[in-house]
Amino acid sequence: MLDMELIRKDREAVATALAKRLDPAEVNRALDEIQRLDQERRALIGEIDADRQRRKAEARAYAEAKRAGREPEVVAPEAGRKQLSELESELDEVQARLRTAMSELPNLPADDVVAGGKEANRVVKTFGTAPVIEKVRDHVELSRMLGLVDHERGVKLGGSGFWMYTGMGARLEWALLNFLIDENVKAGYEFLLPPHLLLDTAGFAAGQFPKFYDDVYHLDRESAPRGQFLLPTSETAILGAYQDEILDTTALPLKRFAYTPCYRREAAGSHSDERGTVRGHQFNKVEIFQFTLPEQADAALEEMVTHAEGLVEKLGLHYQRSLLSAGDASASMRKTLDIEVWMPSMDKYKEVSSVSWAGDYQARRAAIRYREPGSKQTRFVHTLNGSSLATSRLFPAILEQCQQPDGSVLVPEVLRDRLGDDRLTP
C-alpha cells in the first residue's frame, strides 16, 4: 500500500504520480474517499480516547471518594460501555473500508517512468543482431519436427493452453532450469523450493489481490476455508515467506530465488504470437528476489537486470531491454525493465524476464520491516523481483534463433554438456 502520511502531506504529488496509471478524475475520487475515511477514522479514535479518559477519571474520582469516606457519585457504567462498544465497532468498520480503498490504489511510478501503455515503452539496450535465416520455421513446427513438444497430448491431459515436453524437449527444458539454478547460486542467491499452494494472504501481500484475484486458480472454500490458490509466480511465495518479520539489517540485501511451475488462468490465443509454449496455463520459471534497505534499491535493480541479461547472453540469444511505461508495468511496481528475446517467426521480441522494483509498496502490505542498530523504530524494506528466466519463452527462442537450413537446431554451448549433444536433429 501507499503511505497514508504521504497522502496527507502531499496529495498533489501522489495524484500526479497515480495519473500516469489511472484517469485523473478516478484518482481524485479515490483520494477524496480515502481522505474522508482517514478523517472519520481519526475522529473516531479521538472520541474513543476521550471516552476512555473520561471513564478513567470517573473511576479515579469514585476511588478517591471511597477513600475519603464520602458517598461516591453514581455513574451508569453500562451506558458508558455501550457507547464505547458502539464507537469501537464503528471504528473497525471505517478502518476496514479504508484498508480496502488503500489496497486498491496502485504503486507510484518512479520519476523516469512515463505515462501510457505498450506504445510508450522505450528500448534502452540491444544485444547482438538478429540472426539472418533464409527460410524461417516457427517454434511449433520445429518442436514437432524434432519431437520436443507434444501439444495434442498436452491438450488431452489438461485442456487448451497446456502442452507436454517429450524426449530431448523434456531434457532441454530441464537443462535450461538447471543452468539457471546454477547461475543464480553463483550470483549469491539462496535457493528455495516453496509450496505451490499459497494462502490468500500471500496474494494480498504481493499486490495481486484483490485486483487480479480472478487471474489465478483458487481452491474451493469447502476444501480450503482459509483461502488457497495455485501460485502464479514464485515472487508471491518468496515475499509471502517473510510476512510479518523484522529482518536483520546486517543481512540486507537478502537475496533469494526459487524454481516453480507457474499457474495462470490467462488463455493462450490462436495467433502466432501466442502459439506453442509462448503462453499457457502452466509454465516453468526461475525467479530472483531481493529485500533491501531503501538506499540499496537502485544498485540492486541494476545488478538484477545485468544478471538476467547475462543469462540470455550466455545462451547466445539476441535480445533487447525495455523500460516499461506506467500503464504496461505491474500495478505493484514503481519501475520495470523487460528483457525481450527476438522471435524470428513473429518478427518481434517477446519478454523472458521482467525485473521490477516495488519500493516499500509490497513490504507495507506484508509488514516486512528492518530496525536500524540501536533504534527501537522499524522501517519498511524495499523489495525487487525478476524472472531469471521464464523457460517457456526461452525454449522457442532457442529453437527459432538457432535453427539450421536442414531443420536441425544448434544447442547453446552452455547447455551441451547437460544434453550430451551439440545439435537437435529431426
Side-chain angles (χ1 to χ4, degrees):
M1 294 185 189
L2 302 184
D3 184 356
M4 188 68 233
E5 191 63 26
L6 179 62
I7 295 175
R8 292 189 197 116
K9 289 182 176 179
D10 200 349
R11 169 179 165 147
E12 185 177 348
V14 172
T16 299
L18 289 176
K20 290 182 178 182
R21 286 196 153 123
L22 304 171
D23 177 79
E26 182 183 346
V27 170
N28 283 315
R29 281 195 297 270
L31 293 180
D32 284 345
E33 177 66 3
I34 284 170
Q35 289 192 298
R36 185 189 67 77
L37 290 168
D38 181 48
Q39 289 167 1
E40 190 175 344
R41 181 186 71 87
R42 296 168 82 182
L44 283 166
I45 290 173
E47 285 188 63
I48 289 170
D49 287 346
D51 190 70
R52 286 174 176 159
Q53 290 300 319
R54 176 185 59 77
R55 294 177 67 199
K56 286 180 181 178
E58 289 171 349
R60 283 196 299 270
Y62 184 91
E64 288 171 4
K66 291 289 283 182
R67 284 196 297 271
R70 300 193 309 271
E71 186 65 30
E73 184 180 345
V74 178
V75 180
E78 286 300 321
R81 278 199 292 272
K82 183 178 180 182
Q83 182 184 7
L84 183 60
S85 174
E86 288 174 350
L87 286 171
E88 289 174 334
S89 177
E90 190 176 348
L91 177 61
D92 288 343
E93 181 185 343
V94 169
Q95 288 187 146
R97 286 160 58 198
L98 178 59
R99 181 175 175 81
T100 298
M102 288 287 285
S103 72
E104 291 172 350
L105 284 180
N107 204 344
L108 304 180
D111 292 342
D112 59 342
V113 174
V114 301
K118 288 183 181 294
E119 75 288 344
N121 293 347
R122 181 166 57 93
V123 176
V124 294
K125 176 185 174 181
T126 301
F127 173 78
T129 57
V132 178
I133 303 170
E134 188 173 331
K135 181 186 175 183
V136 176
R137 296 181 173 92
D138 74 16
H139 56 283
V140 177
E141 179 184 356
L142 287 164
S143 65
R144 284 181 173 142
M145 286 174 53
L146 299 169
L148 307 178
V149 181
D150 193 328
H151 296 283
E152 290 74 19
R153 288 191 174 96
V155 172
K156 182 193 294 186
L157 285 170
S160 178
F162 292 89
W163 58 83
M164 181 168 67
Y165 294 106
T166 57
M168 285 298 285
R171 290 180 61 188
L172 175 59
E173 175 75 359
W174 213 245
L176 276 169
L177 290 168
N178 279 306
F179 163 69
L180 299 174
I181 289 168
D182 288 347
E183 291 297 313
N184 287 328
V185 169
K186 289 177 189 175
Y189 290 84
E190 183 176 303
F191 190 16
L192 308 177
L193 283 174
H196 296 184
L197 275 173
L198 305 180
L199 293 171
D200 282 357
T201 51
F204 177 85
Q208 289 148 358
F209 300 168
K211 186 173 183 181
F212 301 106
Y213 186 84
D214 294 332
D215 290 354
V216 302
Y217 292 99
H218 296 270
L219 270 65
D220 64 88
R221 288 289 174 174
E222 185 176 342
S223 56
R226 293 180 63 188
Q228 282 179 295
F229 63 101
L230 281 167
L231 83 175
T233 167
S234 50
E235 168 202 340
T236 317
I238 300 172
L239 177 79
Y242 291 87
Q243 288 178 88
D244 304 312
E245 292 190 23
I246 298 175
L247 304 182
D248 182 357
T249 308
T250 61
L252 300 177
L254 194 68
K255 301 168 69 172
R256 299 290 183 261
F257 84 97
Y259 155 69
T260 65
C262 302
Y263 307 93
R264 300 185 186 178
R265 296 184 66 177
E266 56 190 7
S270 58
H271 192 271
S272 61
D273 285 14
E274 306 292 313
R275 294 179 66 217
T277 66
V278 170
R279 186 180 297 275
H281 296 304
Q282 177 185 327
F283 58 92
N284 292 317
K285 183 157 67 78
V286 179
E287 185 85 3
I288 54 176
F289 201 100
Q290 289 199 34
F291 301 88
T292 75
L293 299 171
E295 58 269 25
Q296 296 171 334
D298 285 344
L301 180 63
E302 184 57 34
E303 177 200 317
M304 292 171 74
V305 171
T306 302
H307 172 62
E309 288 180 341
L311 299 174
V312 184
E313 290 174 15
K314 287 180 180 180
L315 291 167
L317 299 176
H318 167 56
Y319 72 87
Q320 67 181 22
R321 181 203 296 187
S322 295
L323 174 61
L324 299 194
S325 67
D328 196 32
S330 165
S332 299
M333 300 301 152
R334 283 179 55 76
K335 184 175 183 177
T336 296
L337 292 150
D338 272 5
I339 299 163
E340 303 156 336
V341 291
W342 175 248
M343 299 292 291
S345 69
M346 304 177 193
D347 194 27
K348 63 174 58 175
Y349 295 85
K350 298 297 284 186
E351 171 239 320
V352 292
S353 177
S354 279
V355 183
S356 301
W357 165 48
D360 63 5
Y361 184 88
Q362 291 180 320
R364 285 180 181 278
R365 300 171 77 100
I368 304 173
R369 296 149 291 157
Y370 69 95
R371 181 182 288 115
E372 295 283 3
S375 172
K376 292 183 178 180
Q377 188 175 6
T378 60
R379 296 177 63 194
F380 293 106
V381 300
H382 280 208
T383 59
L384 304 96
N385 70 85
S387 318
S388 180
L389 301 158
T391 56
S392 59
R393 299 279 177 87
L394 280 180
F395 192 105
I398 290 171
L399 297 187
E400 293 199 8
Q401 288 197 36
C402 301
Q403 64 181 290
Q404 303 299 302
D406 63 357
S408 65
V409 171
L410 290 179
V411 175
E413 286 189 25
V414 293
L415 302 179
R416 290 176 184 177
D417 285 348
R418 299 175 191 275
L419 281 177
D421 210 334
D422 63 356
R423 186 183 296 260
L424 304 174
T425 56

